[in-house]
Amino acid sequence: MRDATVHKEDEISIIEKRSAAIHNADTRLDNIDLFKEKDFLEIALKTGTDKVLGNKHLAGCLENPPKGACPASGTDAKNKFCRPFGHFYNTVYQTWLGKYSTADAVPFQFMEIGYYQGSGFEAYTKFLPKAEAHSIEISCLPKGPQSEGLWPYGNFAIQRDSDMYDKLRANSRLHCGDANKVSFLNEVWSEQMNRIDAPPLKVVIDDASHESEHMVASVFFWFPRIEPRGVMIVEDIQPSIADRFRTQFLPQMMKDMHFCGNNNFPDEQCFPTLQPLLASIHCEMHICVFERNDEPSVELSMEDSIPPSNALDADNQCMKYT
């Protein structure tokens, strides 16, 4: 028979080992939670943003006759994913922003262009809890003629959640102005975001007017200011007022991404302020991601922050091979 003292010591040793194993298991589980990405689709469906509502309405719109949120203009679309109201952007946001959604993510800055009523912004902030999140919205300007730098149609931004609106305004996170004016963008950037104590700007999303001219204005101002390996995302690049963005601007960006500048093969950059900073372009239906390479962010002059004349004109020298 084993000595009772030894047996007791063995029991204590076993208990200690089990406790250590449980602690290690808990630690591993904690680490798993620490690294676990949040689910953008789940969050966005709860806030009601149209960024993901195509997933909710697609099945009904494929029935005959269509049922649910199926705009009349889309019911006969050859591409079935164009039939429902809403988009399928969750795959892009999960892929490109998922790493920023974890509990151990490093703090960073985020800029949304086009707050509207805030359902998209709410989804972003719940998905990206470590972000210092900013947004720009034109409708919260004082009421008056647009020709005088005012807004005549009412404040959309305050309608859905006035408490969130008031908090964002008080904390200088919601900036009221015209995102197509480089002077206003520079004011927001230099006075509110480009601070000594600010985390790095990693994500900029354009979801504002969807007009081609405004979309390229966003890219030319913000893309150089994004830190290495950050992203510029442009939404709603469908056949509409955004048509020239997809048919004129995108081909030039794609061409620049493959630029070499070898004297044996005459070539020109389409966009000299963007090409040296561009790592990749990833597009899904109606949304594109422009990824920054490892070059440091650039503080361009006001003049160089404005789109060049060929931004929406692909019929120019840079697109010709000689």
Side-chain angles (χ1 to χ4, degrees):
M1 176 178 286
R2 298 184 62 191
D3 183 90
T5 303
V6 175
H7 181 64
K8 186 66 175 179
E9 289 176 349
D10 287 346
E11 286 184 339
I12 293 173
S13 177
I14 292 171
I15 292 172
E16 289 176 343
K17 288 179 180 179
R18 286 177 177 173
S19 296
I22 292 171
H23 173 74
N24 290 336
D26 288 342
T27 301
R28 287 195 296 272
L29 289 173
D30 288 342
N31 287 339
I32 290 172
D33 289 338
L34 195 65
F35 304 139
K36 184 178 180 181
E37 294 184 1
K38 293 181 180 295
D39 188 326
F40 185 79
L41 177 60
E42 179 182 357
I43 291 171
L45 285 172
K46 289 179 180 178
T47 70
T49 174
D50 68 349
K51 301 177 191 300
V52 301
L53 287 182
N55 296 276
K56 181 178 180 180
H57 300 308
L58 178 61
C61 294
L62 297 182
E63 294 186 19
N64 189 14
K67 298 178 182 178
C70 317
S73 60
T75 53
D76 63 345
K78 294 179 180 178
N79 183 345
K80 66 181 181 181
F81 294 103
C82 294
R83 297 178 189 175
F85 170 77
H87 305 285
F88 302 84
Y89 298 160
N90 49 291
T91 52
V92 165
Y93 286 121
Q94 197 67 51
T95 299
W96 288 91
L97 304 188
K99 64 182 179 181
Y100 297 117
S101 73
T102 61
D104 70 328
V106 176
F108 65 99
Q109 276 188 327
F110 165 96
M111 167 57 81
E112 174 199 54
I113 304 160
Y115 179 85
Y116 189 48
Q117 294 183 340
S119 59
F121 187 82
E122 183 183 358
Y124 293 137
T125 54
K126 288 182 176 179
F127 184 58
L128 305 169
K130 293 297 185 73
E132 179 189 297
H134 294 258
S135 188
I136 289 175
E137 173 58 35
I138 194 172
S139 75
C140 54
L141 284 170
K143 191 170 184 179
Q146 272 188 280
S147 59
E148 298 177 12
L150 305 173
W151 182 252
Y153 306 113
N155 187 351
F156 309 135
I158 202 171
Q159 294 174 358
R160 176 176 172 270
D161 189 334
S162 60
D163 290 339
M164 182 168 72
Y165 171 86
D166 290 339
K167 182 178 180 181
L168 292 171
R169 292 290 292 141
N171 292 332
S172 298
R173 295 296 185 84
L174 177 58
H175 312 283
C176 301
D178 187 346
N180 194 42
K181 292 184 177 179
V182 69
S183 58
F184 169 67
L185 296 181
N186 190 62
E187 178 183 320
V188 172
W189 169 246
S190 60
E191 296 182 11
Q192 303 296 336
M193 298 180 67
N194 192 22
R195 313 181 313 271
I196 294 176
D197 65 333
L201 177 63
K202 284 290 191 176
V203 180
V204 178
I205 298 173
D206 183 283
D207 181 24
S209 70
H210 313 319
E211 294 187 24
S212 296
E213 292 82 358
H214 299 173
M215 296 157 89
V216 295
S218 293
V219 176
F220 276 92
F221 183 86
W222 290 107
F223 188 72
R225 291 168 170 82
I226 297 172
E227 294 295 327
R229 294 298 162 179
V231 293
M232 171 96 208
I233 301 176
V234 181
E235 294 187 2
D236 299 337
I237 312 173
Q238 59 257 48
S240 64
I241 51 178
D243 205 44
R244 287 197 297 156
F245 186 92
R246 71 186 182 109
T247 62
Q248 304 295 313
F249 176 73
L250 272 179
Q252 295 185 81
M253 285 290 279
M254 184 63 73
K255 190 258 188 183
D256 267 2
M257 191 180 69
H258 301 287
F259 172 80
C260 285
N262 189 322
N263 290 333
N264 294 326
F265 300 94
D267 197 5
E268 290 185 18
Q269 297 162 301
C270 294
F271 305 131
T273 62
L274 303 182
Q275 183 276 323
L277 307 173
L278 181 63
S280 71
I281 301 172
H282 172 88
C283 294
E284 295 186 18
M285 193 176 78
H286 302 161
I287 185 170
C288 282
V289 180
F290 303 95
E291 182 190 17
R292 284 278 280 101
N293 60 19
D294 295 320
E295 294 296 319
S297 60
V298 179
E299 193 64 38
L300 297 177
S301 67
M302 295 280 279
E303 182 180 0
D304 288 337
S305 298
I306 298 173
S309 59
N310 63 305
L312 294 172
D313 179 14
D315 185 20
N316 65 77
Q317 185 60 37
C318 85
M319 295 294 283
K320 294 178 172 61
Y321 178 80
T322 56

